[in-house]
Amino acid sequence: MKNKTFDIDIIKKFYSTYPSKIDSIRKTLNRPLTLSEKILYAHLATGEEIKDYKRVVDYVNFAPDRVAMQDATAQMALLQLMNSGRTTVAVPSTVHCDHLIQAYKSAQEDLNTANVTNKEVYDFLSEVSNKYGIGFWKPGAGIIHQVVLENYAFPGGMMIGTDSHTPNAGGLGMVAIGVGGADAVDVMAGMPWELKMPKLIGVKLTGKLSGWAAPKDVILKLAGILTVKGGTNAIIEYFGEGTESISATGKATICNMGAEVGATTSIFPYDKKSSEYLKITGREDVAEIADSLITHLQPDGETVDNPGKYFDEVIEINLSELEPYVNGPFTPDAAHPISEFAKIVAEKGYPRQMEVGLIGSCTNSSYEDLSRAVSIVKDAKEKNIKVKAQFIINPGSEQVRYTAERDDILPAFEEAGATIMANACGPCIGQWKRETENPDRPNSIVTSFNRNFAKRNDGNPNTHAFVTSPEIVAALSIAGDLCFNPITDALVNEKGEKVKLQEPVGYELPPNGYDMEDAGYLAPDNGSQIEIKIAPDSQRLQELKPFPAWDGKDIEGQPLLIKVKGKCTTDHISMAGPWLRFRGHLDNISDNMLIGAVNAFNDNTNSVLDPETKEYSAVPKLARKFKSEGKGSVVVAEENYGEGSSREHAAMEPRFLNVKAIIVKSFARIHETNLKKQGMLALTFADKKDYDKVREDDKISILGLAGFTPGKNLTIELTHSDGTKESFDVAHTYNEIQIEWFKAGSALNYMKNRS
């Protein structure tokens, strides 16, 4: 493939000083360095001291190399950028149109529909990108993380992206972190980017994958070990000889789904596989320099030999013993080895018929994924076995799609009855127009995606979504049976014969190289004079007005909006699917605020008590009523609140509807930061049992804000309807700058005030 390296001068400049920086860091800290530490310390912001920062304690300022945004989150990020006072971005940045394309009929039909229905948004994103010097990837170009891996990720670099699966780029040895749009605006505006220094979880890989096992199974197994919050405030760093046998795209798959255990990011060391991928994707110049610096793009030997001394936690996985996993339903950490899965299905009473198999998403849509999965489909055809389930394929990028079409991979899927959808996220994020006679009935689907929360894929709370590798998706789609184990079980073919499926085979990289006609990229072209106009009556886009600054007083006598019971992800707080069309219109999208959260007092969703009328109301409706009356409100919730997507709308909507504070047992990392950025109070119960004290019709006061300082608890006072009162402490993780964000009304307000 013709060389097409983006930002090569910037990359060369970084590499020219990287070795000396690493030597200086190692000398100053006086110890060996993990790979994560090398990259983090090499990206300290100007003026930031090189010292041994305390993990999960110290906030540190960094200077990322680039920013990437997908079209759903880019709308709000760019609306904020327009209010920042900048005329151009300070670091290379890109927008990728992958989220707004609905999977319905077929790739071209769905893309045509998207270009019509989303024209206003696409035009806005394209014009703003051109005005501020941002690269623009058109609809159909591919899924953001696959496109970043193919074009922008480079070993030793650091990037942030407005999507929780940005860590995909860790497959090429990059520290890549998912953030909210406000964080992206900081970096695009040339400000330092703040992060609490992560702890380090080391995962030692030994042996080599074989048979039906795939890279996806590494992270599926790890999800079962760490759970959905076990990686919070941590970088997962993979090391050991086992890493060398996994392809670059396989490594990306593993890093991508680290988001499902709450990890800040995940990373693999640079090696021969990484170099081969850079070269075949047209970045020979990057590979040549990286090859010469390979020791600096890997962890120091002593950290590998004695990991317990340098990592906060060490986990070992033997790839040679790893079997395929099927995780779910309803949570990605319910991990089941396939040898035990049939038993689980029977015990739990999950719908056994496997109705739809979906291959694609930012996690598993590479050439390797498609080539291995199609080998099973071709084998089934040769053995006279028809595919029993509906089959849907989403290629990861136009480069992958074009090459897979050329190499007879996609035609083979189509011959087996599969529908090839657009190079986009589609069903993975709820952009799936699924046709079924009863949209609410219990059913089972199997995907190669990363998340499987209730309603995530098709809006049906009774869809049991299971996450596994593309290989197992293919096998289960052929069988149409959730209990089928392709390693041990046989199928009956059209002739009545019992036959077994062969083990998957495929290519890590296309033997004849990648190819394509049009990547779908638009470079910025001197658009500084462009005037961005948003129609005042637009239902898709809305100009942002700054949030009001803190009034300097304690927050007193606020009604409870909702006390949330159980899991509350960003999908519960701000659903995707059909709501994606309002991602650029804060008022409209606020009508989905917390409509998926379960009310602890009645076990219903979108049903909360109006303390005045004593009737139950929709959550956004009650919040709007409070706001119209000049009141705020408070949200109370349980563990890992805000788990899932980096969706900053889940923080902006409560802020817009005048919610004063979110008080929880614990937060997911990205969401806690998003709340802080929007000037919200993100508080945690000092004693988790105090959650039980909150009553449905309480008035809630937050006291001590005049002395709001790092490390000092605030006080919650509950006034019950019978006139009695209770008080207790709530903790927080705000540092001095974040407290200034709160006082200014938002981080963007603070930045504008300073400039």
Side-chain angles (χ1 to χ4, degrees):
M1 174 174 274
K2 184 180 178 182
N3 187 290
K4 60 181 179 76
T5 303
F6 288 91
D7 311 315
I8 185 60
D9 292 336
I10 294 173
I11 294 172
K12 285 180 177 179
K13 183 178 179 181
F14 169 77
Y15 280 148
S16 69
T17 60
Y18 183 62
S20 61
K21 282 185 178 179
I22 299 303
D23 291 340
S24 176
I25 294 162
R26 190 185 293 111
K27 183 178 179 181
T28 302
L29 299 185
N30 194 30
R31 60 174 172 81
L33 302 172
T34 66
L35 176 59
S36 303
E37 289 177 310
K38 289 181 179 182
I39 300 173
L40 288 173
Y41 278 91
H43 285 86
L44 291 177
T46 301
E48 202 76 353
E49 181 184 358
I50 297 176
K51 66 176 185 178
D52 219 339
Y53 289 100
K54 293 179 182 178
R55 297 173 186 170
V56 203
V57 174
D58 290 339
Y59 284 92
V60 187
N61 287 320
F62 294 98
D65 298 305
R66 72 163 31 257
V67 172
M69 298 165 280
Q70 38 93 337
D71 51 352
T73 52
Q75 295 172 62
M76 197 57 69
L78 296 185
L79 284 165
Q80 292 176 87
L81 179 65
M82 289 165 60
N83 283 341
S84 70
R86 292 285 304 192
T87 57
T88 187
V89 290
V91 300
S93 304
T94 50
V95 167
H96 304 258
C97 296
D98 61 355
H99 273 54
L100 299 179
I101 303 169
Q102 188 178 56
Y104 179 36
K105 293 183 177 180
S106 64
Q108 195 56 55
E109 284 187 80
D110 294 345
L111 187 58
N112 291 342
T113 299
N115 278 320
V116 173
T117 59
N118 301 316
K119 184 179 187 304
E120 180 184 14
V121 172
Y122 292 150
D123 287 349
F124 168 78
L125 294 175
S126 177
E127 288 175 1
V128 178
S129 294
N130 197 12
K131 181 177 180 66
Y132 290 94
I134 298 169
F136 182 75
W137 291 82
K138 295 185 290 186
I143 303 173
I144 177 173
H145 309 304
Q146 182 68 33
V147 173
V148 166
L149 194 74
E150 292 173 355
N151 295 277
Y152 299 111
F154 67 94
M158 183 182 194
M159 68 172 285
I160 62 169
T162 61
D163 189 281
S164 54
H165 294 99
T166 301
N168 192 82
L172 272 180
M174 193 174 200
V175 166
I177 301 175
V179 299
D183 280 1
V185 173
D186 282 354
V187 176
M188 290 190 291
M191 301 283 286
W193 175 65
E194 184 184 67
L195 177 72
K196 188 181 287 185
M197 183 61 80
K199 66 180 179 181
L200 300 179
I201 297 175
V203 178
K204 182 178 182 180
L205 300 182
T206 61
K208 187 176 182 179
L209 293 169
S210 62
W212 284 87
K216 183 70 163 281
D217 298 308
V218 175
I219 187 59
L220 293 176
K221 178 180 176 67
L222 189 62
I225 295 170
L226 288 175
T227 77
V228 291
K229 63 177 184 176
T232 303
N233 290 319
I235 291 180
I236 300 174
E237 181 172 327
Y238 294 87
F239 65 92
E241 70 275 12
T243 63
E244 299 173 7
S245 64
I246 302 174
S247 69
T249 52
K251 292 181 173 85
T253 290
I254 295 168
C255 291
N256 176 295
M257 202 176 156
E260 273 50 71
V261 298
T264 301
T265 193
S266 302
I267 192 168
F268 274 83
Y270 181 75
D271 59 20
K272 184 179 178 182
K273 301 280 190 184
S274 317
S275 181
E276 290 171 350
Y277 185 77
L278 285 171
K279 291 172 182 174
I280 202 170
T281 52
R283 293 171 286 172
E284 295 91 344
D285 40 11
V286 177
E288 183 179 351
I289 305 171
D291 289 347
S292 70
L293 302 176
I294 190 165
T295 58
H296 298 294
L297 300 171
Q298 296 179 342
D300 287 344
E302 190 174 333
T303 68
V304 172
D305 296 337
N306 190 12
K309 186 177 178 181
Y310 300 99
F311 291 92
D312 299 286
E313 182 179 354
V314 179
I315 298 167
E316 186 168 336
I317 296 175
N318 186 337
L319 301 179
S320 299
E321 298 174 356
L322 187 64
E323 64 174 300
Y325 271 71
V326 184
N327 287 24
F330 308 130
T331 185
D333 60 350
H336 314 293
I338 199 163
S339 59
E340 301 175 13
F341 188 52
K343 180 182 176 184
I344 296 292
V345 171
E347 288 178 352
K348 300 289 188 179
Y350 299 144
R352 179 169 177 171
Q353 181 185 357
M354 209 288 279
E355 297 190 18
V356 191
L358 302 108
I359 293 176
S361 85
C362 61
T363 315
N364 277 112
S365 54
S366 68
Y367 186 91
E368 179 181 24
D369 292 328
L370 297 181
S371 69
R372 282 174 60 85
V374 83
S375 74
I376 303 164
V377 172
K378 289 179 177 179
D379 180 58
K381 180 183 178 182
E382 291 176 2
K383 292 173 178 174
N384 295 305
I385 305 172
K386 290 186 177 179
V387 177
K388 293 185 173 59
Q390 184 184 357
F391 211 6
I392 294 174
I393 312 293
N394 283 83
S397 69
E398 177 57 18
Q399 180 168 275
V400 167
R401 188 212 64 79
Y402 189 95
T403 307
E405 178 79 26
R406 180 200 69 188
D407 293 351
D408 196 38
I409 293 174
L410 297 186
F413 276 125
E414 290 178 302
E415 286 176 20
T419 301
I420 310 300
M421 296 295 187
N423 312 323
C425 303
C428 182
I429 59 165
Q431 284 286 58
W432 179 20
K433 190 174 181 181
R434 184 180 181 188
E435 292 186 326
T436 176
E437 75 284 355
N438 181 355
D440 294 320
R441 67 177 174 78
N443 70 100
S444 292
I445 66 174
V446 178
T447 81
S448 71
F449 304 163
N450 39 48
R451 294 195 172 129
N452 55 357
F453 305 137
K455 302 184 184 180
R456 170 89 181 179
N457 303 125
D458 62 0
N460 178 2
N462 297 307
T463 292
H464 296 61
F466 297 90
V467 176
T468 188
S469 68
E471 294 90 333
I472 297 299
V473 173
L476 294 183
S477 298
I478 291 164
D481 181 1
L482 213 56
C483 294
F484 175 64
N485 181 350
I487 301 172
T488 58
D489 300 346
L491 295 170
V492 178
N493 69 7
E494 299 289 297
K495 298 179 180 179
E497 304 165 330
K498 283 189 174 183
V499 295
K500 285 189 68 178
L501 297 174
Q502 72 171 19
E503 293 179 350
V505 293
Y507 299 96
E508 291 182 3
L509 303 170
N512 297 315
Y514 286 107
D515 201 1
M516 65 181 152
E517 292 179 346
D518 178 10
Y521 175 70
L522 291 177
D525 183 23
N526 193 27
S528 60
Q529 301 305 312
I530 292 175
E531 184 179 353
I532 307 300
K533 293 183 179 180
I534 297 174
D537 60 347
S538 172
Q539 295 301 300
R540 297 292 299 271
L541 297 166
Q542 180 186 48
E543 290 187 23
L544 280 181
K545 295 181 179 179
F547 291 128
W550 176 53
D551 63 7
K553 301 175 184 178
D554 282 341
I555 296 170
E556 299 189 59
Q558 302 298 305
L560 175 74
L561 180 61
I562 184 172
K563 181 178 177 179
V564 180
K565 176 182 178 181
K567 185 186 284 285
C568 192
T569 72
T570 50
D571 281 285
H572 295 92
I573 306 166
S574 176
M575 290 183 180
W579 291 95
L580 281 172
R581 67 187 185 276
F582 296 133
R583 284 286 181 86
H585 198 295
L586 185 54
D587 196 351
N588 283 348
I589 200 169
S590 292
D591 282 333
N592 80 1
M593 185 189 73
L594 285 161
I595 63 176
V598 176
N599 184 349
F601 297 107
N602 61 13
D603 287 334
N604 291 326
T605 58
N606 206 24
S607 175
V608 289
L609 180 70
D610 183 331
E612 184 179 305
T613 66
K614 304 302 180 184
E615 296 178 350
Y616 282 88
S617 170
V619 183
K621 182 179 178 181
L622 183 59
R624 287 185 186 276
K625 178 185 176 183
F626 289 150
K627 182 179 179 180
S628 70
E629 297 171 345
K631 300 175 188 174
S633 58
V634 174
V635 171
V636 171
E638 297 201 68
E639 300 280 6
N640 209 30
Y641 181 82
E643 165 194 345
S645 297
S646 65
R647 203 165 297 166
E648 73 176 325
H649 298 76
M652 296 187 79
E653 291 171 32
R655 183 72 168 100
F656 178 73
L657 294 182
N658 212 27
V659 174
K660 300 297 185 182
I662 313 288
I663 309 171
V664 303
K665 294 181 180 179
S666 66
F667 284 104
R669 175 192 64 85
I670 297 176
H671 189 63
E672 182 180 22
T673 300
N674 285 347
L675 289 168
K676 292 177 179 180
K677 288 273 183 177
Q678 301 306 331
M680 290 280 290
L681 283 174
L683 308 173
T684 56
F685 293 101
D687 181 348
K688 294 181 181 181
K689 293 178 183 177
D690 289 332
Y691 167 89
D692 299 322
K693 295 178 180 177
V694 180
R695 301 179 190 175
E696 192 169 21
D697 51 2
D698 278 348
K699 292 290 189 294
I700 303 171
S701 298
I702 303 169
L703 309 177
L705 287 172
F708 192 10
T709 52
K712 183 179 179 181
N713 288 354
L714 298 172
T715 300
I716 298 296
E717 183 181 82
L718 304 177
T719 301
H720 303 311
S721 58
D722 60 7
T724 61
K725 294 185 177 183
E726 292 183 82
S727 62
F728 50 82
D729 277 7
V730 284
H732 64 85
T733 61
Y734 287 76
N735 60 26
E736 291 179 357
I737 294 296
Q738 293 168 343
I739 291 171
E740 293 301 318
W741 297 345
F742 166 73
K743 292 178 178 178
S746 70
L748 185 59
N749 288 357
Y750 174 73
M751 181 174 71
K752 286 177 69 176
N753 292 344
R754 289 192 68 193
S755 63

